[in-house]
Amino acid sequence: MAIHTHGADVFLRRLTCHGVLRQVGQVILTLPYTMAQTGMVLGILLQLGYAMMASWTAYLMNTLYMEHVNRKERLNALSQYPAHPNERDHIIQYHEVIGGLIGPWGERAALFFNVVSLLGLAVVQIIACASDAYYLYNGMNKRTWTIVWGLVSLLTVLLPSFQNYRAFSFFGLVATTFTAWYMMGTAVHEGQQPGVTHAGPLDPQQFFTGATNILFTFGGHAMAVEVMHAMLAPSKFSLVYLLSSLYVFTLTLPNTISVYWAHGDSLLTHTNALSVLPVSPLRSTAVVLMVAHQCVAFGLFITPLYFVWEKLIGTHHAPYQTKVLSRVPIVLLVWFLATAFPFFGPVNSLLGAFTTTFSTYVVPCIAFNMTYHSSASKSSAVREPPAWFPTWNGVLGVNLFILVWVVIFGVVCGGWASLREVARQVDTFGMFDPCYQC
């Protein structure tokens, strides 16, 4: 299967690894708070379970992309899209894959959930930058820091595609690894704080809010199709994603367990774990690394939104200067939302319940089962089921289980809990709060 590519495959495998880490990056700082909500044992089990589900749905998305491209090639239609006169420069996106396989309604649903998901993820990166930077220099409040990082984020409109993030492909690895091990080492060195308690979960609302944040942690591969489209061997994407996820466990579990062990239930009022760690050069280094990493992550999340917006308003194949100017409204919207809702932590759970659930788990499962529901589609599939799980019925059954689980515990229970928590934060702090949890 000849799939057109746009760059060095080695770089894009690195970008896939960074893609996993960019999602986990800012969440590393909220996972101790999340474990205080879920309790240690349930928190560990949820991390393992949702990571497995995420790796599975990454495999589904990878297969759907390959199937979409293969069918288009069989029909000799890749060069005949009337809306794309320059097909060589056209970047295939998530919603186009879903629409090409299950129809226009699927494309519209996928586009909606993916756009809202990526928009929310971009918002969270600016909130995280402001929250982290405050612990480096508290002479400015968090709202002022949000304004500063909003201005910085405008620079991403200058970078045309993922290829321009080559220099940063390993930066997320360095930043998240250093920060996670610094947090663990400091927590162990400082030891348990006087009077520490570990009572979680205290109530269903807190538990489901925390559980949904964990679901959100491992659900950031909605932008993966754009990366697959640029790979020389897109079939290897799911393997690279799985290996990256395994590495992530060496960061999330030791870091989360040690900080929760040391600080316990006090973390329920500290969504950013940096706030409970002592001021030191190491903490300052971690802040600088995480802020830089989150700036790169912002670019990776918002770039697919740029593509969608450009296609919508007709600038996707326009001259560079026109394309750059057309992207500015997207950044301004993200900037406004980050300033209005600075609730670092609860916003993650809200996104997990209403966007990550659909774009990363529900839509791929439905699309896969619909694409391969007939015997003919199975016999002509571009990829057979995994060797260790060789039956189609088994694959479709796993998809159905994930679909039901995520809808019940992610959308319904997680949505209820997250909405109540965000409403509580708005009542307590208000919108446009100048310094959330300072």
Side-chain angles (χ1 to χ4, degrees), residues 81-92 96 306-307 309-320 322-323 326:
Y81 289 141
H84 311 309
N86 189 352
E87 187 59 41
R88 180 179 178 83
D89 295 330
H90 181 76
I91 297 171
I92 296 176
E96 294 169 333
Y306 291 153
F307 298 155
W309 178 247
E310 290 162 9
K311 293 172 185 177
L312 179 65
I313 65 175
T315 61
H316 190 53
H317 302 294
Y320 173 74
T322 303
K323 186 180 296 188
S326 73

Side-chain angles (χ1 to χ4, degrees), residues 277-351:
L277 300 177
V279 176
S280 70
L282 286 176
R283 192 183 82 158
S284 297
T285 302
V287 168
V288 171
L289 288 173
M290 288 304 295
V291 167
H293 167 53
Q294 287 152 4
C295 288
V296 176
F298 175 87
L300 293 175
F301 282 126
I302 206 167
T303 297
L305 289 180
Y306 291 153
F307 298 155
V308 171
W309 178 247
E310 290 162 9
K311 293 172 185 177
L312 179 65
I313 65 175
T315 61
H316 190 53
H317 302 294
Y320 173 74
Q321 295 86 343
T322 303
K323 186 180 296 188
V324 166
L325 291 174
S326 73
R327 293 175 168 189
V328 172
I330 302 296
V331 181
L332 295 179
L333 174 61
V334 171
W335 191 3
F336 171 79
L337 292 173
T339 308
F341 302 99
F343 312 127
F344 188 47
V347 169
N348 291 358
S349 297
L350 188 67
L351 291 172

Side-chain angles (χ1 to χ4, degrees), residues 37-329:
Q37 294 176 310
T38 62
M40 187 173 293
V41 174
L42 291 175
I44 293 172
L45 292 176
L46 285 167
Q47 283 198 39
L48 294 171
Y50 281 131
M52 291 172 61
M53 288 186 186
S55 294
W56 179 262
T57 55
Y59 162 79
L60 299 183
M61 292 169 67
N62 188 206
T63 303
L64 291 171
Y65 168 79
M66 293 168 60
E67 184 69 39
H68 171 71
V69 173
N70 192 49
R71 289 186 182 185
K72 286 296 182 183
E73 289 182 343
R74 288 206 306 264
L75 294 172
N76 195 27
L78 269 178
S79 61
Q80 299 175 22
Y81 289 141
H84 311 309
N86 189 352
E87 187 59 41
R88 180 179 178 83
D89 295 330
H90 181 76
I91 297 171
I92 296 176
Q93 292 193 270
Y94 174 76
H95 61 281
E96 294 169 333
V97 170
I98 302 300
L101 295 174
I102 67 173
W105 70 271
E107 179 171 4
R108 288 191 292 269
L111 177 61
F112 172 78
F113 288 118
N114 203 35
V115 165
V116 177
S117 177
L118 291 169
L119 184 69
L121 288 165
V123 169
V124 168
Q125 302 312 310
I126 294 183
I127 295 173
C129 282
S131 179
D132 294 348
Y134 176 78
Y135 298 114
L136 186 65
Y137 174 67
N138 59 13
M140 296 193 300
N141 62 37
K142 291 182 182 179
R143 185 170 61 191
T144 303
W145 274 117
T146 301
I147 294 171
V148 170
W149 293 115
L151 288 169
V152 172
S153 67
L154 278 168
L155 296 174
T156 60
V157 303
L158 302 174
L159 302 177
S161 72
F162 288 112
Q163 302 296 321
N164 304 103
Y165 289 90
R166 252 189 203 95
F168 310 109
S169 61
F170 268 125
F171 195 82
L173 181 66
V174 174
T176 50
T177 300
F178 177 88
T179 302
W181 286 98
Y182 151 71
M183 291 170 67
M184 188 200 73
T186 301
V188 172
H189 175 73
E190 295 287 322
Q192 287 190 320
Q193 301 304 299
V196 67
T197 60
H198 302 87
L202 297 177
D203 58 60
Q205 180 186 332
Q206 284 195 350
F207 172 76
F208 285 115
T209 302
T212 310
N213 189 39
I214 295 173
L215 181 149
F216 169 80
T217 300
F218 294 97
H221 45 285
M223 47 71 73
V225 168
E226 290 85 350
V227 176
M228 296 176 207
H229 180 65
M231 293 180 72
L232 289 169
S235 61
K236 296 181 180 179
F237 173 87
S238 51
L239 175 61
V240 175
Y241 188 94
L242 174 62
L243 295 175
S244 301
S245 296
L246 293 175
Y247 177 74
V248 162
F249 277 130
T250 69
L251 308 181
T252 60
L253 286 176
N255 152 62
T256 307
I257 292 169
S258 58
V259 176
Y260 178 58
W261 167 80
H263 295 275
D265 298 330
S266 66
L267 289 162
L268 290 171
T269 55
H270 295 85
T271 55
N272 189 332
L274 292 175
S275 64
V276 301
L277 300 177
V279 176
S280 70
L282 286 176
R283 192 183 82 158
S284 297
T285 302
V287 168
V288 171
L289 288 173
M290 288 304 295
V291 167
H293 167 53
Q294 287 152 4
C295 288
V296 176
F298 175 87
L300 293 175
F301 282 126
I302 206 167
T303 297
L305 289 180
Y306 291 153
F307 298 155
V308 171
W309 178 247
E310 290 162 9
K311 293 172 185 177
L312 179 65
I313 65 175
T315 61
H316 190 53
H317 302 294
Y320 173 74
Q321 295 86 343
T322 303
K323 186 180 296 188
V324 166
L325 291 174
S326 73
R327 293 175 168 189
V328 172

